[in-house]
């Protein structure tokens, strides 16, 4: 392709090898969240309301109503995504058939369909405990609940969850990211912030007591949620401390910090103190709104930070957004392709040259090159990458999504 040849030469003139960048991109697996496909409903009670300060808005037609529909939609979405990736599921996506199984009694077999499907599709799977949208989380507390019985229920949920995730890993012969996020917190100013934090620590210790082979456990902090505006028990400081002390991964969700804080600036501050980081790439619009990821400055800075330091084996790039106001397959496609584009842009940076200028205090050259990079033809490299991966180049996927919408999605209502 001519455009690519020109781009290749232009990048070479800046000291960048486009072939190497594409090779590096090919090795990156994104952990794509299954929950964009059904507005985080899951299959326990698909019409149940979301709780825990997370919310979907919009009623675009065609949401997946069954596991088979969700998997079919994921398969469709993956035809638009270059590379080999993973699917992240939640405990609430268990398939219990006609049995009503509560979350503390989930079993491996309830995830067998996901496993068989992942095997068949050549996908990795990741797992999330589900501690929201349940009667026993209605007080706004789960693992830090003052009531021992309620705590026990959620501890058991996480213990069986770790066994399930371990089984998934064994079946797929592949590590499983096992993420834990809880909604616990106070709407109004509490008097006792310490008791729930001590209880949370105690619950976590019980959950993680047993070693597993395939799990990579990770804990996810948050600054506030709807209903936990004044105090979140699992705050960033809390989980930083817990993860460092117990050598767990830490999940950094880009929507979980104060609006002027950025995750891109946190990675190098944390990475040497934990075994790794799980990212939840999202887009907060004024709050943790989980908008579809766009190719904005922070996404590019975040990706550049990973690429610059070659952190690919210590950082798992997961997605966490859910928008019900547009076609859900398009939402997935746009967000995932943007994440990959941002990574490619990061990989197309002459980092060593830039670092060299920076270390010599030549900030003039650093700024000039960084600005020049913004108008470099990265899109021609991206198009070439998509073409070689045999996935749609440019916008050609959109027509196909619309066709799928007409033929499949619109018949679901
Ligand atoms: C909530 C957390 C959490 C969820 C998903 C569904 O604020 O970000 O990761 O979004 O587990
Ligand atoms: Zn998240």
């Amino acid at each position: 392709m001519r455009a690519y040849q020109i781009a290749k030469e232009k990048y070479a003139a800046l000291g960048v090898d486009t072939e190497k960048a594409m090779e590096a991109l090919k090795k990156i697996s994104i952990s794509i969240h299954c929950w964009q496909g059904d507005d985080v409903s899951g299959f326990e009670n698909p019409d149940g309301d979301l709780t825990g300060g997370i919310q979907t808005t919009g009623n675009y037609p065609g949401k997946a109503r069954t596991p088979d529909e969700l998997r079919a939609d994921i398969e469709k979405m993956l035809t638009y995504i270059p590379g080999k990736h993973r699917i992240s599921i939640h405990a609430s996506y268990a398939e219990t058939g006609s049995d009503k199984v509560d979350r503390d009694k989930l079993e491996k077999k309830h995830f067998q369909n996901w496993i068989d499907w992942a095997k068949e599709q050549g996908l990795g799977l990741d797992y999330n405990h589900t501690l929201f949208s349940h009667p026993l989380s209605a007080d706004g507390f789960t693992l830090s609940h003052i009531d021992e019985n309620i705590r026990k229920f959620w501890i058991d949920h996480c213990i069986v969850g770790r066994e399930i995730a371990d089984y998934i890993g064994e079946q797929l012969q592949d590590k499983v990211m096992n993420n834990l996020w809880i909604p616990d917190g106070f709407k109004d100013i509490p008097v006792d912030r310490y008791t729930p934090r001590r209880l949370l620590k105690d619950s976590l210790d019980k959950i993680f007591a047993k070693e597993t082979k395939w799990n990579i456990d990770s804990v996810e902090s948050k600054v506030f949620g709807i209903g936990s505006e004044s105090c979140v028990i699992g705050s960033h400081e809390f989980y930083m401390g817990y993860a460092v002390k117990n050598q767990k991964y830490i999940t950094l969700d880009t929507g979980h910090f104060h609006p002027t804080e950025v995750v891109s600036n946190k990675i190098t501050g944390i990475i040497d103190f934990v075994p790794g980081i799980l990212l939840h790439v999202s887009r907060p619009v004024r709050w943790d709104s989980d908008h579809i990821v766009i190719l904005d400055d922070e996404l590019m800075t975040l990706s550049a930070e990973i690429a610059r330091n070659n952190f690919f084996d210590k950082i798992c790039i997961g997605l966490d957004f859910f928008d019900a106001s547009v076609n859900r397959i398009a939402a997935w496609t746009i967000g995932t392709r943007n994440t990959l584009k941002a990574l490619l842009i990061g990989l197309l940076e002459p980092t060593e040259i830039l670092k060299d200028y920076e270390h010599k205090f030549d900030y003039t050259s650093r700024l000039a090159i960084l600005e020049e990079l913004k108008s470099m033809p990265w899109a021609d490299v991206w198009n070439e990458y998509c073409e070689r991966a045999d996935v749609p180049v440019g916008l050609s996927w959109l027509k196909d999504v619309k066709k799928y919408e007409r033929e499949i999605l619109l018949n679901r209502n």
Side-chain angles (χ1 to χ4, degrees):
M1 198 189 188
R2 224 175 89 80
Y4 172 66
Q5 284 310 326
I6 297 170
K8 187 176 170 178
E9 282 163 31
K10 282 191 177 167
Y11 274 106
L14 276 182
V16 176
D17 183 337
T18 51
E19 291 295 323
K20 263 199 188 146
M22 285 192 279
E23 253 167 58
L25 187 62
K26 213 172 159 182
K27 292 194 193 120
I28 304 171
S29 287
I30 308 281
S31 178
I32 305 172
H33 56 316
C34 80
W35 52 90
Q36 166 60 72
D38 72 332
D39 312 341
V40 211
S41 308
F43 305 124
E44 290 167 315
N45 168 23
D47 297 320
D49 281 336
L50 266 183
T51 70
I54 52 178
Q55 218 179 336
T56 47
T57 48
N59 53 2
Y60 200 86
K63 114 178 183 181
R65 299 161 303 180
T66 64
D68 288 335
E69 286 181 354
L70 184 59
R71 285 188 283 260
D73 292 356
I74 294 173
E75 283 177 36
K76 189 75 203 164
M77 174 266 295
L78 288 172
T79 64
Y80 310 136
I81 310 295
K84 230 170 119 32
H85 302 286
R86 316 175 56 77
I87 298 299
S88 183
I89 60 172
H90 246 283
S92 50
Y93 289 77
E95 290 169 75
T96 61
S98 51
D99 302 339
K100 174 106 190 71
V101 181
D102 213 343
R103 297 215 191 137
D104 60 336
K105 299 272 171 352
L106 287 171
E107 290 176 54
K108 295 163 186 167
K109 64 176 186 199
H110 301 134
F111 294 85
Q112 197 62 51
N113 290 346
W114 281 106
I115 295 168
D116 294 343
W117 172 78
K119 262 191 206 161
E120 175 199 297
Q121 300 285 320
L123 291 163
L125 280 183
D126 293 316
Y127 183 91
N128 299 261
H129 305 291
T130 311
L131 293 91
F132 50 85
S133 307
H134 187 278
L136 289 182
S137 64
D139 294 333
F141 290 87
T142 61
L143 292 175
S144 72
H145 203 292
I146 204 87
D147 179 334
E148 197 184 337
N149 293 321
I150 295 182
R151 277 202 316 281
K152 168 121 188 357
F153 173 84
W154 290 115
I155 291 169
D156 288 346
H157 168 64
C158 296
I159 289 176
V160 298
R162 285 181 81 238
E163 282 165 13
I164 291 162
D166 200 41
Y167 174 71
I168 294 174
E170 189 206 306
Q171 290 272 305
L172 299 178
Q173 290 289 297
D174 192 13
K175 292 272 184 192
V176 173
M177 287 300 323
N178 189 334
N179 185 47
L180 173 62
W181 173 76
I182 62 167
D184 301 28
F186 292 99
K187 179 186 174 84
D188 220 334
I189 306 159
V191 177
D192 184 4
R193 298 164 197 256
Y194 192 33
T195 301
R197 288 196 167 124
R198 277 189 339 212
L199 292 172
L200 175 55
K201 182 202 167 285
D202 183 69
S203 297
L204 294 174
D205 289 346
K206 293 192 166 103
I207 292 165
F208 297 132
K210 214 177 126 215
E211 289 280 324
T212 57
K213 186 166 173 200
W214 299 97
N215 275 301
I216 300 183
D217 300 301
S218 194
V219 284
E220 180 176 5
S221 69
K222 187 160 171 166
V223 66
F224 92 100
I226 302 293
S228 64
E229 290 87 346
S230 297
C231 170
V232 165
I233 308 308
S235 59
H236 188 51
E237 292 71 19
F238 176 91
Y239 280 128
M240 268 281 280
Y242 193 87
V244 170
K245 185 169 179 203
N246 298 286
Q247 287 301 292
K248 299 288 170 200
Y249 269 52
I250 187 149
T251 304
L252 301 178
D253 183 308
T254 57
H256 286 194
F257 296 90
H258 287 287
T260 56
E261 274 183 86
V262 280
V263 168
S264 55
N265 190 33
K266 295 180 185 297
I267 289 175
T268 46
I270 302 178
I271 196 115
D272 282 346
F273 305 107
V274 288
I277 295 172
L278 169 61
L279 289 179
H280 267 189
V281 181
S282 194
R283 178 166 54 108
V285 176
R286 306 192 194 286
W287 73 294
D288 181 30
S289 60
D290 291 298
H291 277 65
I292 301 162
V293 167
I294 57 170
L295 191 58
D296 57 12
D297 282 348
E298 173 52 11
L299 182 66
M300 289 191 274
T301 313
L302 183 62
S303 309
E305 278 296 301
I306 308 172
R308 282 170 183 157
N309 297 294
N310 197 15
F311 283 154
F312 293 109
D313 50 354
K314 274 194 100 179
I315 296 184
C316 172
I317 303 162
L319 306 179
D320 186 10
F321 53 82
F322 26 100
D323 190 332
S325 71
V326 299
N327 178 301
R328 293 166 186 81
I329 296 169
W332 258 324
T333 306
I334 293 165
T336 311
R337 281 174 70 110
N338 278 337
T339 306
L340 288 167
K341 282 179 189 172
L343 288 162
L344 177 65
I345 293 169
L347 290 163
L348 288 169
E349 182 188 87
T351 307
E352 288 315 309
I353 295 171
L354 285 163
K355 272 190 194 166
D356 205 45
Y357 283 125
E358 186 166 291
H359 295 159
K360 290 183 182 135
F361 298 96
D362 184 354
Y363 300 153
T364 311
S365 303
R366 181 188 63 187
L367 184 62
I369 296 172
L370 283 175
E371 287 307 296
E372 189 61 23
L373 283 169
K374 290 181 181 166
S375 49
M376 286 293 284
W378 63 266
D380 293 330
V381 184
W382 168 252
N383 289 341
E384 176 74 9
Y385 182 71
C386 289
E387 201 168 290
R388 289 187 196 178
D390 210 15
V391 304
V393 173
L395 254 188
S396 58
W397 59 268
L398 184 59
K399 232 177 148 182
D400 196 53
V401 165
K402 291 283 186 183
K403 184 167 175 265
Y404 187 77
E405 180 174 302
R406 273 190 316 272
E407 289 170 3
I408 312 273
L409 302 180
L410 292 179
N411 293 324
R412 285 183 186 166
N413 296 288

